[in-house]
Amino acid sequence: MPKLPSPFLVLLHTHFTLLLISIPFQVNSQIPNTEELTILLNIKQELGNPPSLSSWNATSSPCDWPEITCKENSVTEISLQNKSITQKIPPTICNLKNLTSLDLSLNNIPGEFPDILSCTRLEILDLSQNLFVGLLPNDIDRLSALQYINFGANNFSGDIPPSIGRLSELQKLYLYENEFDGTFPKEIGNLSNLEVLGLALNEKMKPASIPLEFGKLKKLQTLWIEEANLMGEIPDSLISLTSLEILSLAKNNLTGPIPSGLFSLKNLTNFYLFNNKLYGELPNSFEGRNLVELDLSANNLTGLTPSLTDFRVSKNKLSGVLPPEIGLHSKLQAFDVSSNQFSGQLPKHLCAAGVLKRVVAFSNNLSGELPKSLANCSTLHTLKLHDNKFSGEIPSGI
């Protein structure tokens, strides 16, 4: 099964856990609900009686099974995550009338989208990292109570249905790493409660611009559309995403300048635009004081930006002198300005916070002596400064 990049896997798991916590539940009765017991035992049989569900038996209450959560003696949540399931999910699962959460992630479930549109009380639906194929249902908005969707790391294809934009309760939407070959529907912009939008790693999407309507997602905290065949300019409408904390549009074919207002988003902490075709001048300062990771490498940008925790602007056309204060106002850990046209000296305060690990500045026009402060930087493990015009002696501590 496909693997999700680890930083986003942690993020995704955190969001799912928090959403589960927000839904009240109670495990409370030893008296079996006989109707639901029969339904679940039949489901187990249709799944091929997997050994992972050995606790499902006729002599105990489903509310005592580890995969089941109940409220008032009725099944409300089923978690079959990583249970080695290889059979299709039977539609009889929707006979559990109070089911609000269904997690089928990390299995090998085959076939098309499961026949579960009758599970109309579902608030959480996780089908991620399975073997699903085919189209998403055009009437997916029948699941109108959904707050969390994760269909990532499957083989779903065709268009993402515009009807997904009618799921007005939706807070988290993950459709990453599939075989979709249409374009991202503008109707996603109607999801006024959406906090996370993960559309990354969909390389077969038709070349298309970012829908202007995405700028209407006022509650959006994470926008992840890395490696999804995006083209054209980054729309100015994204400046309206004032709740945004993570923005990744890396590994696409985006062109034009970066909207300057993105550098003023006050909640933004992680900003990734590397490996695009962006050009233009970067601002000398910005209001985004919470920004800790910035990667704009492999573009055609000019100008400079202030110091951060993780500063990467390699493989651009940046020139001029590096600001001498870099490292003084943040806990700088990684500094990569390689393959540009910088001149002047290497800043002296890169390790001022005592946590610097990487200095990569090769292939520039830097000159003068190496900062003696690097000799006392005990955390430093990578130093690449070749192809410059440095002079003098290498500090002995290095």
Side-chain angles (χ1 to χ4, degrees):
M1 285 176 286
K3 298 292 186 182
L4 182 65
S6 57
F8 288 96
L9 184 60
V10 172
L11 175 71
L12 188 157
H13 175 73
T14 302
H15 283 147
F16 183 46
T17 303
L18 289 174
L19 195 57
L20 278 173
I21 292 171
S22 71
I23 298 175
F25 62 86
Q26 181 179 353
V27 179
N28 64 347
S29 179
Q30 300 300 318
I31 304 173
N33 180 323
T34 54
E35 181 183 358
E36 293 187 341
L37 175 63
T38 301
I39 293 169
L40 289 166
L41 291 177
N42 287 336
I43 289 173
K44 176 186 176 183
Q45 186 174 10
E46 292 192 55
L47 294 178
N49 291 308
S52 58
L53 300 183
S54 60
S55 61
W56 292 28
N57 59 71
T59 61
S60 60
S61 168
C63 298
D64 295 329
W65 301 346
E67 298 81 14
I68 303 295
T69 299
C70 294
K71 182 179 180 181
E72 297 178 356
N73 201 36
S74 182
V75 175
T76 57
E77 300 178 20
I78 299 178
S79 178
L80 299 179
Q81 183 187 73
N82 200 17
K83 293 293 182 179
S84 301
I85 295 173
T86 60
Q87 303 297 317
K88 295 182 179 180
I89 301 300
T92 52
I93 200 167
C94 292
N95 291 338
L96 300 167
K97 299 302 182 182
N98 295 310
L99 189 64
T100 60
S101 177
L102 179 59
D103 183 359
L104 303 174
S105 62
L106 291 163
N107 286 290
N108 289 291
I109 303 172
E112 297 186 344
F113 191 90
D115 187 1
I116 55 173
L117 294 183
S118 297
C119 298
T120 54
R121 291 195 177 186
L122 276 182
E123 299 175 9
I124 294 173
L125 178 58
D126 194 338
L127 306 180
S128 63
Q129 302 200 53
N130 276 286
L131 303 175
F132 290 113
V133 298
L135 306 177
L136 295 182
N138 285 325
D139 55 348
I140 195 170
D141 55 321
R142 286 171 56 187
L143 300 175
S144 58
L146 280 176
Q147 299 177 28
Y148 178 100
I149 285 178
N150 190 346
F151 300 158
N154 279 288
N155 296 298
F156 289 120
S157 58
D159 288 317
I160 297 171
S163 59
I164 211 164
R166 292 197 287 270
L167 295 171
S168 59
E169 302 298 318
L170 203 59
Q171 298 174 24
K172 313 284 192 301
L173 176 58
Y174 293 100
L175 301 175
Y176 61 88
E177 201 170 359
N178 275 283
E179 302 290 315
F180 298 122
D181 53 11
T183 58
F184 296 121
K186 63 182 181 180
E187 288 80 3
I188 288 177
N190 296 328
L191 299 172
S192 58
N193 289 307
L194 199 66
E195 298 173 2
V196 178
L197 179 57
L199 304 174
L201 309 176
N202 282 300
E203 301 176 12
K204 294 187 178 180
M205 295 294 286
K206 292 178 182 177
S209 300
I210 300 170
L212 298 176
E213 291 78 4
F214 284 11
K216 298 190 298 181
L217 301 171
K218 303 300 183 183
K219 294 184 179 180
L220 198 67
Q221 298 172 13
T222 297
L223 180 58
W224 179 37
I225 323 183
E226 179 179 327
E227 207 166 344
N229 220 3
L230 296 176
M231 59 174 291
E233 297 190 2
I234 300 173
D236 287 333
S237 62
L238 298 191
I239 298 171
S240 301
L241 303 179
T242 54
S243 298
L244 204 60
E245 297 174 6
I246 298 174
L247 175 59
S248 179
L249 305 175
K251 296 184 179 180
N252 284 293
N253 291 299
L254 296 169
T255 60
I258 302 171
S260 59
L262 292 179
F263 291 98
S264 298
L265 293 175
K266 295 182 179 180
N267 293 305
L268 195 64
T269 59
N270 299 69
F271 192 9
Y272 308 113
L273 295 177
F274 58 88
N275 285 93
N276 277 287
K277 299 177 181 178
L278 299 165
Y279 57 82
E281 189 84 8
L282 293 176
N284 289 322
S285 62
F286 52 86
E287 298 175 27
R289 299 300 182 188
N290 290 315
L291 194 62
V292 294
E293 288 193 14
L294 174 69
D295 194 338
L296 308 177
S297 58
N299 282 288
N300 293 300
L301 300 165
T302 58
L304 290 174
T305 56
S307 181
L308 305 159
T309 298
D310 194 328
F311 183 79
R312 304 183 192 191
V313 293
S314 63
K315 298 179 183 177
N316 280 287
K317 296 181 179 178
L318 301 170
S319 60
V321 176
L322 291 167
E325 70 274 11
I326 287 182
L328 278 177
H329 307 296
S330 66
K331 295 182 178 180
L332 188 64
Q333 297 181 26
F335 181 74
D336 187 348
V337 296
S338 60
S339 299
N340 281 289
Q341 299 165 17
F342 289 117
S343 58
Q345 294 186 317
L346 196 65
K348 297 180 180 180
H349 305 292
L350 296 177
C351 196
V355 292
L356 185 68
K357 298 177 181 179
R358 293 173 52 86
V359 175
V360 182
F362 63 82
S363 297
N364 279 285
N365 294 307
L366 298 171
S367 59
E369 296 185 355
L370 297 183
K372 291 182 173 59
S373 57
L374 292 179
N376 300 317
C377 189
S378 59
T379 56
L380 189 65
H381 62 65
T382 301
L383 183 62
K384 298 182 179 181
L385 302 176
H386 57 276
D387 194 17
N388 277 289
K389 299 178 181 178
F390 291 117
S391 59
E393 296 183 357
I394 298 175
S396 58
I398 292 178

